[in-house]
Structures are given as structure tokens and as C-alpha cells.
Amino acid sequence: MDFEIAVILACLCASLWLKPWRMLVGTELLTPLLATLVLLPWLWALPSLHHMPLQLHWSGAPLVTLMLGWPLAVLALVAVGISTTLISATSVDTATALIVWQGLLPATFALLLGAALRRWVTHHPFVYVLGRGFLGSVLCIFAASLLAQWTGHELPNVGSGLSVIAFWLMAWGDAFITGMMCAIFVAFKPYWLATWSDNLYLKS
């Protein structure tokens, strides 16, 4: 738990230093921010609200990062973790684990992957939707899940080998929604994506 609290504090300090609230001035990002704060806590609370042999974990952090940008996404994901605790009446330990392993770590991986794609891959809408929205989300969520399992956060009632397969399949489900929403937003609501730029991706 000490490590997770340290990660949360480090991300919050970096986020606040970048003054993410400036992203809300003169933009349309308030809508995706409010949607994140309203919908995502219920998705994070599903394993606690419905006791099943295989608990389905939903991250959504890569999509939140694509919509809000990493600094604002950090604040939103911390708030989502707190709201999830109030909804599902989970412990502080569970809340910190959710914030780090389902929120901040996948969001940070999504930030690093996006920076790598911008640096070394051609700028194209297909690269953005497939690379960052779909396949990138699979890798980010799966990597965070493996690290969580390595630190002792395993799926209940499931062996370590089967947990890896479960994390891999759940990452694909999460990424499918992320890629689909990215494609829709690029076509109809590009101003809901802080990481999208017409000048960058639609150059002649």
C-alpha cells in the first residue's frame, strides 16, 4: 500500500504542476470529464457489487487519457477511485489499488505509448485509432494487470496461469470499447479528444 500511495502522490504532484484545469478553458472537454466522473465509478465497482467466480475488471484509463490528456486524467481517475469506494463501500487498500493498477498505471502507459507513436510512426488517423485507441489500449491495460499480479493483486479463485489469460482477454474487451469510441469521436466529436489534432493527423 505504501508503494501505491507513493505512486498516487507522485502522479498528483506531476499533474498539478502542469495545471490541467487550463485544459477546460475554451474547450469542450467538460462533457467527457463529467461523463468519466459519472459512469466510470460504477464500472470500477462492478466486482464488488456482483460477486462472480471470475471478477470482470474494467479500466477505461486509456480512453480517459485520450479524451482528457494525462494531467487531467490523473485528477479524474483519482476522483473515480474515491467515488468507487463510496459506491461499493470498499476499504482504503482496495481503493488505492484500483486507482493505481486500473487507473494511473494504464493511463501513464498510454501517455508513453502515444509519445512513442508520435515520435517514430507517421501521423495518420488510422495510426491514432488503431495504435493508440485499440492495440495500444490492449498493451497498456495488460501490462498494468501483469504488474498488479506480480505485486500480489491476483484475481480471486483463479490460479496465476489462468489469471494471465483472463487479464489478456479482459484487456481486449476494454480496448475494443476504447478503439470504437476513439473512431466515433474522431469522426463526429474530435473536440472531445484532447490528444487529437486536425493539424497533426489530417495534414495534406
Side-chain angles (χ1 to χ4, degrees):
M1 181 177 176
D2 292 339
F3 170 75
E4 291 161 352
I5 292 177
V7 171
I8 294 173
L9 292 177
C11 290
L12 282 176
C13 290
S15 172
L16 293 174
W17 181 71
L18 295 170
K19 301 178 181 179
W21 49 86
R22 296 182 298 178
M23 295 287 295
L24 299 175
V25 179
T27 67
E28 301 289 339
L29 295 182
L30 184 59
T31 299
L33 174 60
L34 293 177
T36 298
L37 296 177
V38 171
L39 298 177
L40 197 55
W42 293 99
L43 295 176
W44 280 18
L46 281 178
S48 299
L49 298 176
H50 299 280
H51 298 286
M52 297 180 292
L54 177 59
Q55 295 183 357
L56 300 178
H57 293 269
W58 184 275
S59 172
L63 178 59
V64 175
T65 305
L66 292 174
M67 291 191 301
L68 304 178
W70 185 84
L72 189 57
V74 168
L75 300 183
L77 292 170
V78 171
V80 166
I82 296 173
S83 300
T84 303
T85 303
L86 299 177
I87 292 172
S88 58
T90 56
S91 64
V92 176
D93 293 355
T94 303
T96 55
L98 282 174
I99 293 172
V100 171
W101 303 112
Q102 287 187 220
L104 299 182
L105 203 59
T108 303
F109 287 161
L111 170 70
L112 298 176
L113 179 64
L117 290 176
R118 281 196 175 191
R119 175 66 178 83
W120 288 297
V121 181
T122 182
H123 299 149
H124 192 276
F126 184 78
V127 173
Y128 180 88
V129 173
L130 185 64
R132 300 189 68 175
F134 186 59
L135 295 179
S137 296
V138 174
L139 297 177
C140 294
I141 295 171
F142 182 61
S145 300
L146 289 183
L147 287 176
Q149 179 175 314
W150 181 65
T151 58
H153 298 280
E154 298 183 350
L155 290 174
N157 306 317
V158 181
S160 299
L162 290 178
S163 292
V164 174
I165 299 175
F167 285 136
W168 176 247
L169 295 176
M170 286 189 286
W172 277 95
D174 208 320
F176 179 82
I177 299 299
T178 301
M180 180 181 66
M181 297 304 294
C182 279
I184 294 172
F185 290 162
V186 165
F188 299 105
K189 298 285 186 179
Y191 41 82
W192 283 0
L193 294 168
T195 54
W196 171 267
S197 172
D198 288 349
N199 293 332
L200 183 65
Y201 290 103
L202 299 180
K203 293 187 299 183
S204 58

